[in-house]
């Protein structure tokens, strides 16, 4: 027989009900403990009784299939429902194996014969865990003696109260009163060890009054169950003790066991460790299993599909009919019950109903639940009070700081751009806001309709576990270290390019899905971060001038390496500018014009990208126009008239250079991209992974552009024409670096071309983004949806020189002086950029910046320098431009490594040449090399001990020689004195 069927959709559930005579459904949750306990029993029943189209067993996860659970009125887990011909005929709440087995056996009998009716088989209502059910065919046994005792007690109480003046007092003191206080008896001898939990209960029983109110009914029942246990057998006592051990582990609630039960408990398991707390029975975890609040009669619900692909519940008001208006008015006119009355009525928890196996456990768990609610309420009140006090203190401190730091905040706000928020413009200097690298908020969200939803729909065709396995195989293992996102701790061992580039010619179906899931999200985050910075530095005119032209075809963009993520990011930036122009009435239409092209080598990947990249041209490889490029000198195939070539206003070269191992390959790719770039203001963006090798690839592109493609800035002379190779170099033209560099000289972190061994400092940036659900599962972390992608980049504009032609040292001096009170605004591309997060200390902030002079310096901004500059420095981020100056500056040493290991060539070019000295000692020739390099081999422990002994012996020899010299000198002095004395006597 087959096992239970796991319901995955509403359609599958309806199909099962309509196609099967009897359906036994288990409504469960993954976090439910009782659900896990009874699950094996349910599976055994399913394997034993399942029959196609007759009996089926179904498991419904209430968290995933909330609509099915809500339709069937499921409020507690586990809940078992039995359906006959699509109609629910039995409900069992809680993990009760016996009740479930009995109900399943009855339900199976319904499937065998069509003549039976469900009402005849299921005569009793639904059962709840802990409730007993009388066996069929047996009535309640008659207790004759008990009945006679009750009749005698009633007659005696009636006669006693009838012939007395104070009927209440006479009935209380009557011998027929079963709750009369007994005569005082000597206290029992205390047992060894801790005081039994039942001793307190005995005292309470002796002191209880004759008649109780309805409010004390639950405690009376709990005490009477204890009293009844005194006459129980040894087997019953042992059962109670074992159930208490199973439920409460090594703890016991106060007053749970009587003296006999506690004695057996102590003999079997030893004394309990402590009194039971709510955490010991899982109440904090399952405290939210209460029943649902009834929905108002004038409110309805609808299910609407969300952007993430799930369903959300939407409420709406049902307009009252004419006949119902008077009824509603009459209901509102009725007085409401007092709040105190409502508070005293407390519904029992569904978790207690599902777990409790007898009235005693129910009462104990109910008390623990009440204690938990009381403690939770007190904790909430304390947190609210503490938060209120903290907010008041922060508000007072903020008001004082505002008065000290921003006395002229209204003037600064008046000069700020209208795009900035009022709060930020009042707290920050306008130049600080203009120099920010990250937008507000810092974390970006991936577009749902343009990127996340299409990828999720494509991945739904394949099991996500298979996609994760393929992504780990393609991108370097767990955490996808060779994807655009590099996890922390995996940078040193994975310094190559991306593992699965989009221009790869052959991809399997699962590899194409792995590319969508593991490559596009971090690639989009890095590209959109760079595009925002480029737009901020070039201004809106860079885009608007092309869009405002009459009959303009818009801007053309080439995505070479981002696999379509660059086009999605560009659409977000372009659409924002287009909407602003449309609001101003300058342009018409909902979509901006333009041409989009993406490099995609695999047909399988291209078919997937076509589903959400509309109006896009797909190329299998990067176009090559080197045969007709404009070179210095004559070319055999060029001719007099150059051929027309395709050009792009924006080229996003993502992860193209690091995968090329040879420098001349990188040179060829760069020549090709530069040829495709529009000569009149085209922008080239180069992005690589954030590790030393990725930075060196970007720095090599920057160095090549400055030396071979772009005219020098600040009036510097270019290289002579005769030194250039016509077949390799192009004619230099205007252009400048947009970001991140503010200098056009040698990069301070890339002074020597090539790889550097042991590089510690390199230029890179980061962008925080919200991870989609499928990408989080690719990384193997299903709880954290916040990610940070790190990258190195450079953006260059062709055909337009830098506006400010000041020398680098001059721009650095002006930036160090600060523009806080300057009447002239600074050129943001001449300000120093932070290359590390700011170091915040008490009273000052230290900024590590790359200056326009081409140096890495450490600027210090103390509070005494400027309160506004100090405030903005503390709130600055890694990658921002700094315009408010500093008080001190020092040069910061850069750890660029030792360079490539060249096999000793550097030592050969040293000042001292290597010489070999040949000597003859005892008829043997020996050769000793002078100025030779010392071996860098580390010494072992024994060698170090030998060297230490040699040093000690040498020191002792030197000390003995000094002592001998001193003694010889003293002896010599004595001889000279004696000689002088002898001469004097003569």
């Amino acid at each position: 027989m087959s096992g239970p069927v796991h319901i995955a959709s509403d359609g599958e559930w309806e199909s099962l009900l309509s196609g099967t005579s009897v359906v036994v459904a288990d409504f469960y949750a993954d976090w439910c403990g009782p659900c896990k306990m009874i699950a094996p029993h349910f599976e055994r029943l399913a394997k034993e009784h399942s029959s196609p189209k007759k009996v089926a067993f179904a498991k419904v996860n209430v968290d995933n299939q909330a609509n099915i659970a809500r339709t069937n009125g499921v409020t507690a887990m586990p809940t078992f429902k039995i359906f006959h011909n699509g109609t629910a005929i039995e409900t069992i709440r809680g993990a009760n194996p016996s009740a479930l087995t009995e109900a399943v056996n009855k339900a199976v009998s319904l499937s065998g014969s069509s003549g039976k009716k469900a009402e005849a088989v299921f005569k009793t209502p639904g059962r709840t865990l802990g409730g007993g059910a009388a066996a069929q065919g047996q009535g309640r046994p008659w207790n004759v003696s008990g009945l006679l005792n009750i009749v005698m007690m009633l007659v005696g109480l009636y006669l006693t109260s009838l012939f007395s003046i104070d009927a209440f007092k006479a009935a209380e003191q009557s011998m027929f009163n079963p709750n009369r206080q007994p005569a005082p008896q000597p206290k029992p001898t205390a047992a060894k060890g801790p005081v039994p939990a039942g001793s307190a209960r005995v005292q309470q029983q002796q002191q209880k009054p004759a008649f109780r109110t309805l409010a004390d009914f639950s405690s009376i029942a709990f005490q009477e169950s204890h009293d009844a246990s005194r006459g129980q057998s040894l087997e019953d006592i042992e059962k109670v003790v074992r159930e208490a051990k199973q439920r409460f582990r090594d703890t016991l609630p106060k007053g749970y066991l009587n003296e006999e039960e506690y004695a057996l408990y102590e003999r079997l398991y030893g004394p309990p460790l402590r009194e039971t707390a709510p955490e010991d029975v899982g109440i904090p975890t399952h405290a939210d299993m209460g029943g649902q609040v009834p929905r108002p009669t004038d409110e309805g619900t609808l299910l609407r599909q969300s952007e993430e692909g799930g369903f959300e519940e939407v409420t709406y008001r049902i307009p009252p009919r004419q006949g119902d208006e008077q009824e509603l008015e009459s209901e509102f006119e009725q007085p409401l019950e007092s709040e105190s009355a409502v508070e005293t009525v407390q519904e029992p928890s569904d978790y207690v109903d599902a777990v409790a196996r007898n009235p005693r456990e129910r009462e104990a768990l109910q008390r623990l639940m009440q204690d938990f609610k009381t403690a939770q309420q007190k904790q909430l009140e304390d947190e609210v009070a503490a938060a209120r006090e903290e907010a008041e203190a922060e508000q007072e401190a903020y008001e004082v700081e505002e008065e000290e730091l921003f006395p002229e905040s209204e003037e600064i706000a008046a000069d700020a751009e209208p795009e900035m928020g009022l709060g930020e413009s009042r707290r920050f200097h306008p130049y600080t806001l203009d120099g920010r690298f990250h937008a507000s908020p810092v974390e970006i969200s991936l577009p749902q309709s343009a990127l996340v939803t299409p990828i999720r729909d494509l991945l739904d065709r394949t099991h996500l576990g298979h996609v994760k396995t393929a992504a780990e195989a393609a991108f370097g293992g767990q955490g996808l270290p060779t994807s655009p996102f590099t996890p922390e701790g995996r940078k040193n061992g994975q310094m190559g390019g991306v593992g699965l580039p989009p221009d790869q010619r052959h991809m399997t179906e699962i590899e194409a899905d792995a590319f969508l899931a593991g490559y596009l999200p971090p690639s989009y985050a890095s590209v959109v971060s760079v595009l925002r910075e480029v737009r901020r530095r070039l201004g809106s005119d860079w885009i608007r001038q092309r869009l405002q032209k009459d009959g303009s075809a818009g801007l053309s963009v080439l995505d070479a390496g981002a696999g379509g993520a660059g086009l999605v990011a560009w659409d977000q930036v372009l659409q924002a500018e287009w909407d602003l122009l449309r609001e101003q009435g300058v342009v018409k239409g909902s979509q901006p014009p333009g041409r989009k092209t993406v490099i995609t080598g695999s047909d399988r990947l291209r078919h997937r990208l076509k589903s959400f990249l509309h109006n896009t041209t797909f190329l299998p490889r990067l176009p090559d126009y080197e045969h007709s490029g404009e070179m210095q000198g004559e070319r055999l195939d060029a001719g007099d008239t150059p051929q027309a070539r395709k050009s792009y206003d924006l080229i996003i070269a993502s992860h193209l250079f690091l995968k090329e191992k040879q420098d001349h390959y990188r040179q060829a790719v760069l020549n090709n991209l530069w040829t495709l770039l529009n000569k009149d203001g085209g922008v080239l963006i180069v992005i690589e992974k954030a590790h030393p090798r990725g930075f060196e690839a970007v720095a090599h592109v920057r160095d090549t552009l400055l030396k071979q493609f772009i005219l020098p800035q600040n009036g510097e002379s270019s290289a002579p024409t005769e030194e250039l190779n016509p077949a390799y170099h192009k004619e230099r033209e205007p252009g400048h670096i947009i970001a991140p560099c503010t200098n056009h000289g040698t990069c301070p972190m890339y002074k020597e071309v090539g790889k550097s061994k042991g590089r510690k400092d390199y230029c890179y940036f980061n962008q925080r983004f919200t991870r989609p659900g499928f990408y989080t599962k690719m990384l193997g972390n299903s709880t954290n949806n916040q990610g940070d992608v790190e990258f190195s980049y450079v953006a260059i504009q062709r055909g337009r020189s830098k506006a400010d032609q000041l020398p680098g040292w001059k721009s650095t001096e002006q930036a160090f002086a600060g523009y806080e009170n300057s009447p002239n605004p600074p050129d943001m591309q001449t300000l120093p950029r932070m290359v590390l997060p700011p170091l915040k200390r008490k009273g000052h902030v230290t900024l590590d910046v790359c200056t326009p002079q081409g140096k890495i310096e450490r600027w210090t901004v103390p509070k005494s320098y400027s309160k506004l500059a100090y405030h903005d420095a503390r709130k600055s981020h890694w990658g921002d431009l700094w315009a408010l100056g500093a008080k001190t500056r020092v040069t910061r040493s850069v750890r660029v490594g030792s360079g490539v290991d060249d096999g000793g060539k550097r030592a050969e070019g040293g000042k001292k040449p290597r010489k070999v000295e040949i000597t003859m000692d005892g008829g043997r020739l020996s050769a000793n090399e002078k100025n030779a390099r010392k071996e860098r081999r580390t010494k072992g422990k024994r060698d170090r001990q030998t060297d230490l002994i040699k040093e000690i012996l040498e020191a002792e020899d030197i000390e003995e020689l000094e002592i001998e010299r001193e003694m010889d000198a003293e002896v010599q002095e004595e001889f000279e004195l004696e000689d002088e004395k002898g001469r004097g006597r003569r």
Side-chain angles (χ1 to χ4, degrees):
M1 296 293 181
S2 59
V5 179
H6 291 266
I7 302 301
S9 63
D10 293 354
E12 185 178 357
W13 170 253
E14 296 295 338
S15 176
L16 184 65
L17 289 180
S18 60
T20 310
S21 176
V22 175
V23 177
V24 182
D26 175 15
F27 293 88
Y28 72 100
D30 294 334
W31 45 264
C32 174
C35 300
K36 297 179 181 179
M37 290 190 297
I38 201 171
H41 182 71
F42 183 79
E43 292 180 359
R44 285 193 296 268
L45 294 175
K47 293 180 180 179
E48 180 180 356
H49 298 289
S50 294
S51 178
K53 297 184 179 180
K54 291 184 179 180
V55 181
F57 289 76
K59 291 184 72 68
V60 182
N61 192 324
V62 297
D63 294 331
N64 299 334
Q65 306 299 329
N67 187 25
I68 300 176
R70 189 184 305 109
T71 304
N72 291 276
V74 177
T75 58
M77 278 67 70
T79 295
F80 300 92
K81 281 185 170 289
I82 299 178
F83 298 86
H84 180 56
N85 296 331
T87 305
I89 59 175
E90 179 71 342
T91 301
I92 303 173
R93 292 186 177 90
N96 193 340
S98 59
L100 178 61
T101 304
E102 180 183 353
V104 170
N105 292 331
K106 293 180 180 180
V108 171
S109 64
L110 289 175
S111 64
S113 58
S114 59
K116 287 187 178 181
K117 293 184 179 181
E119 293 81 1
V121 177
F122 293 94
K123 294 182 179 180
T124 58
R127 296 174 175 81
T128 303
L129 179 63
Q136 292 185 359
Q138 295 180 2
R140 178 174 296 178
W142 286 91
N143 190 348
V144 180
S145 61
L147 183 61
L148 292 176
N149 291 334
I150 294 175
V151 172
M152 292 176 61
M153 179 186 66
L154 293 177
V155 174
L157 288 175
Y158 174 75
L159 295 176
T160 303
S161 60
L162 181 63
F163 298 102
S164 61
I165 298 175
D166 191 351
F168 182 85
K169 186 175 181 180
E172 185 177 6
Q173 297 178 356
S174 174
M175 60 178 295
F176 297 101
N177 180 15
N179 293 326
R180 185 184 60 175
Q181 287 185 349
Q185 297 179 1
K187 295 183 179 180
T189 306
K192 296 182 179 180
V195 179
S199 60
R201 178 62 59 198
V202 174
Q203 280 187 341
Q204 294 177 4
Q205 180 182 357
Q206 294 175 354
Q207 296 176 1
K208 63 182 180 182
F211 298 99
R212 298 285 183 175
T213 61
L214 185 62
D216 299 329
F217 177 76
S218 60
S219 61
I220 291 176
F222 185 60
Q223 294 176 11
E224 290 177 351
S225 65
H226 272 245
D227 298 338
S229 66
R230 294 179 180 273
Q232 59 188 355
S233 62
L234 183 60
E235 290 78 6
D236 295 337
I237 295 176
E238 184 177 357
K239 180 181 178 181
V240 171
V241 171
R242 294 190 183 277
E243 289 181 352
K245 179 65 175 178
Q246 293 174 1
R247 176 64 61 203
F248 305 108
R249 303 291 180 178
D250 295 331
T251 64
L252 269 183
K254 183 178 181 181
Y256 186 78
L257 301 178
N258 58 25
E259 294 180 358
E260 296 179 1
E261 294 168 346
Y262 184 82
L264 180 60
Y265 182 95
E266 191 175 22
R267 185 168 65 251
L268 292 177
Y269 309 110
L273 298 179
R274 53 180 171 80
E275 187 177 336
T276 305
E279 293 79 8
D280 299 327
V281 290
I283 286 179
T285 307
H286 306 90
D288 56 348
M289 289 180 57
Q292 295 181 352
V293 179
R295 190 180 299 279
T297 57
D298 61 341
E299 187 176 292
T301 60
L302 289 175
L303 292 180
R304 181 178 64 187
Q305 188 172 7
S306 62
E307 295 180 353
E308 290 77 8
F311 290 90
E312 58 182 355
E313 184 176 329
V314 182
T315 60
Y316 65 94
R317 287 288 179 184
I318 302 175
R321 294 175 296 181
Q322 295 181 356
D324 298 338
E325 293 180 357
Q326 297 180 354
E327 297 179 1
L328 294 175
E329 292 178 359
S330 61
E331 289 180 1
F332 288 129
E333 291 177 357
Q334 294 178 0
L336 298 177
E337 296 180 0
S338 61
E339 295 182 358
S340 59
V342 175
E343 290 178 357
T344 55
V345 179
Q346 296 180 354
E347 295 294 334
S349 172
D350 289 335
Y351 176 69
V352 174
D353 292 340
V355 173
R357 294 172 292 189
N358 50 64
R360 187 187 301 191
E361 279 191 5
R362 176 184 173 84
E363 179 68 21
L365 292 175
Q366 195 70 25
R367 292 183 180 182
L368 292 172
M369 176 69 76
Q370 187 63 33
D371 295 342
F372 170 73
K373 291 181 179 180
T374 304
Q376 196 176 32
Q377 182 67 23
K378 185 177 184 303
Q379 181 181 1
L380 180 61
E381 294 176 356
D382 295 341
E383 291 178 356
V384 171
R388 186 182 294 109
E389 295 177 358
E390 184 178 357
E392 293 176 356
E394 289 183 356
Q395 182 66 21
E396 295 177 358
Y398 177 75
E399 292 176 357
V400 174
E401 186 178 2
E402 284 285 316
E403 295 177 358
E404 295 179 356
L405 297 181
F406 312 110
E408 302 175 357
S409 58
E410 296 181 358
E411 299 178 2
I412 297 177
D415 298 335
E417 295 184 7
E419 297 180 0
M420 301 176 186
L422 179 61
E424 288 189 343
S425 62
R426 292 181 67 249
R427 295 194 301 269
F428 294 91
H429 197 280
Y431 300 153
T432 302
L433 299 177
D434 291 342
R436 283 182 173 177
F437 177 75
H438 298 286
S440 181
V442 176
E443 183 177 4
I444 65 173
S445 298
L446 275 64
Q448 294 290 330
S449 59
L451 189 65
V452 176
T453 302
I455 296 178
R456 186 191 299 111
D457 294 341
L458 291 171
L459 296 178
D460 286 343
R461 304 176 302 178
T462 310
H463 193 280
L464 204 58
H466 298 166
V467 180
K468 180 177 181 294
T469 302
E472 292 179 349
F475 295 116
Q478 188 176 5
L480 312 183
T482 58
S483 67
F485 167 78
T486 304
E488 198 67 28
R490 301 293 299 273
K491 297 180 181 179
N492 295 331
Q494 304 285 348
M495 290 197 184
V498 292
L500 189 64
D503 57 354
Q504 181 171 315
R505 297 301 302 271
H506 301 287
M507 283 189 189
T508 62
E509 297 287 347
I510 196 68
E511 285 179 343
D513 291 337
F515 179 88
L516 297 178
Y519 191 100
L520 292 186
S523 181
Y524 170 84
S526 59
V527 173
V528 76
S529 179
V530 176
L531 285 177
R532 286 180 177 180
E533 180 67 12
V534 170
R535 177 202 169 275
R536 193 179 292 113
R537 299 302 148 235
L538 292 181
S540 299
D541 295 338
W542 169 53
I543 300 176
R544 294 186 179 183
Q545 288 177 359
R546 299 294 182 91
L547 297 178
Q548 293 177 4
K549 288 183 179 180
D550 296 334
S552 173
L555 285 86
S556 59
V557 57
L558 173 64
D559 184 346
L567 298 183
V568 178
W570 170 250
D571 286 342
Q572 304 296 319
V573 177
L574 188 64
Q575 188 66 43
E577 296 291 348
W578 180 261
D579 292 340
L580 291 176
L581 292 176
R582 188 177 58 181
E583 291 178 0
Q584 298 172 4
V586 180
V587 296
K588 297 180 180 179
S590 59
Q591 298 294 331
R595 293 181 293 124
K596 298 182 295 183
T597 307
V598 61
I599 306 297
T600 306
S602 172
D603 293 338
R604 293 182 175 90
L605 180 59
R606 183 175 69 253
H607 293 326
R608 285 165 170 78
L609 296 179
K610 278 184 178 180
S611 62
F612 60 92
L613 293 181
H614 307 290
N615 300 325
T616 303
T617 302
F618 293 85
L619 298 178
R621 61 181 179 85
L622 193 66
D624 186 5
Y625 294 108
E626 283 298 311
H627 63 280
S628 59
E630 296 181 359
M631 300 289 185
Q632 295 187 15
E634 298 181 358
R635 299 295 295 271
L636 296 177
D637 58 349
D640 298 335
T641 304
Q643 298 182 10
R645 293 183 296 276
K646 183 186 294 292
S647 64
Y648 297 93
D649 298 303
L650 174 65
I651 297 179
I652 304 171
S654 180
H655 308 288
L656 288 183
F657 294 92
L658 183 58
K659 64 180 181 178
E660 304 294 344
K661 302 300 181 182
Q662 303 296 331
D663 291 343
H664 63 276
Y665 288 160
R666 296 180 181 179
Q667 181 73 44
V669 175
L670 181 58
N671 291 343
N672 201 0
L673 293 174
W674 192 258
T675 306
L676 296 172
L677 195 62
N678 188 358
K679 296 181 180 180
D680 185 18
V683 176
L684 172 63
I685 297 175
V686 179
I687 302 176
E688 289 294 344
K689 291 174 65 66
H691 49 62
R693 300 292 88 83
F695 160 73
E696 289 166 355
V698 174
H700 179 74
V701 172
R702 177 186 180 276
D703 187 69
T704 305
L705 289 171
L706 293 177
K707 292 181 178 178
Q708 301 179 14
F709 290 78
I710 298 176
L711 291 172
Q713 303 290 320
N714 306 329
E716 297 179 2
S717 58
S718 59
T721 306
E722 56 271 11
E723 295 182 2
L724 300 178
N725 185 358
Y728 191 72
H729 296 279
K730 298 178 179 295
E731 183 179 356
R732 302 177 74 172
E733 54 187 310
H736 72 284
I737 298 177
I738 304 171
C741 310
T742 58
N743 68 86
H744 282 68
T746 303
C747 176
M749 298 185 184
Y750 191 72
K751 295 182 178 180
E752 296 184 7
V753 179
K755 299 180 181 178
S756 179
K757 184 178 180 181
R759 181 186 296 276
K760 299 298 182 182
D761 291 334
Y762 52 95
C763 182
Y764 67 101
F765 303 88
N766 74 326
Q767 176 61 55
R768 183 173 299 170
F769 68 101
T770 303
R771 298 174 179 171
F774 60 86
Y775 181 67
T776 303
K777 294 180 180 178
M778 292 299 103
L779 299 179
N781 186 357
S782 59
T783 58
N784 185 15
N785 65 341
Q786 188 180 79
D788 287 281
V789 57
E790 297 178 345
F791 54 89
S792 296
Y793 82 98
V794 64
I796 310 99
Q797 187 175 29
R798 181 183 183 185
R800 297 181 184 179
S801 301
K802 199 173 182 179
D804 191 353
Q805 293 292 332
L806 289 177
W809 65 270
K810 185 68 174 177
S811 300
T812 304
E813 292 293 337
Q814 292 181 359
F816 180 73
Y819 293 92
E820 180 178 350
N821 301 318
S822 176
N824 300 322
D827 182 4
M828 303 305 293
Q829 297 189 46
T830 62
L831 296 178
R833 186 181 295 274
M834 302 181 194
V835 293
L836 287 173
L839 301 176
K840 304 173 185 179
R841 298 292 183 264
K842 185 176 181 180
H844 70 276
V845 182
T846 302
L847 308 177
D848 292 322
V849 297
C850 180
T851 64
Q853 193 176 356
K855 296 182 179 180
I856 304 296
E857 296 182 351
R858 177 162 286 183
W859 291 14
T860 303
V861 183
K863 192 173 183 179
S864 59
Y865 171 73
S866 171
K867 293 182 179 179
L868 181 58
Y870 171 73
H871 171 268
D872 289 4
R874 291 187 64 86
K875 301 298 182 181
S876 60
H877 295 87
W878 177 14
D880 294 350
L881 298 173
W882 182 247
L884 301 186
K887 187 174 183 179
T888 60
R889 51 184 287 204
V890 294
T891 303
R892 184 183 182 276
S893 59
V894 183
R895 299 168 296 176
V896 297
S898 57
V900 181
D901 189 3
D902 52 6
K905 294 181 179 180
R906 295 188 178 185
E908 294 178 358
K911 295 182 180 179
K912 296 182 179 181
R914 293 186 177 183
K915 295 181 180 181
V916 178
E917 182 181 8
I918 299 176
T919 59
M920 181 175 290
D921 185 10
R924 295 181 180 179
L925 291 176
S926 61
N928 296 323
E929 184 179 0
K930 292 185 177 181
N931 302 328
R933 291 188 304 164
K934 296 182 178 180
E935 294 185 1
R936 298 181 180 178
R937 185 175 57 186
T938 58
K939 295 183 179 180
K941 183 177 181 181
R942 182 172 298 178
D943 294 338
R944 291 195 298 268
Q945 291 178 352
T946 304
D947 294 343
L948 181 61
I949 293 173
K950 289 181 178 179
E951 292 178 1
I952 294 174
L953 294 176
E954 291 177 357
E956 291 179 353
D957 293 340
I958 294 173
E959 187 176 0
E960 289 179 357
L961 291 176
E962 292 293 335
I963 293 174
E964 291 178 357
R965 291 174 185 173
E966 293 178 359
M967 294 176 64
D968 294 339
E970 292 177 357
V971 171
Q972 186 66 27
E973 290 178 358
E974 291 179 357
F975 287 155
E976 291 178 356
L977 290 175
E978 292 179 356
D979 292 341
E980 291 179 358
K981 291 180 180 179
R983 293 175 184 175
R985 292 174 182 173
R986 293 177 185 176

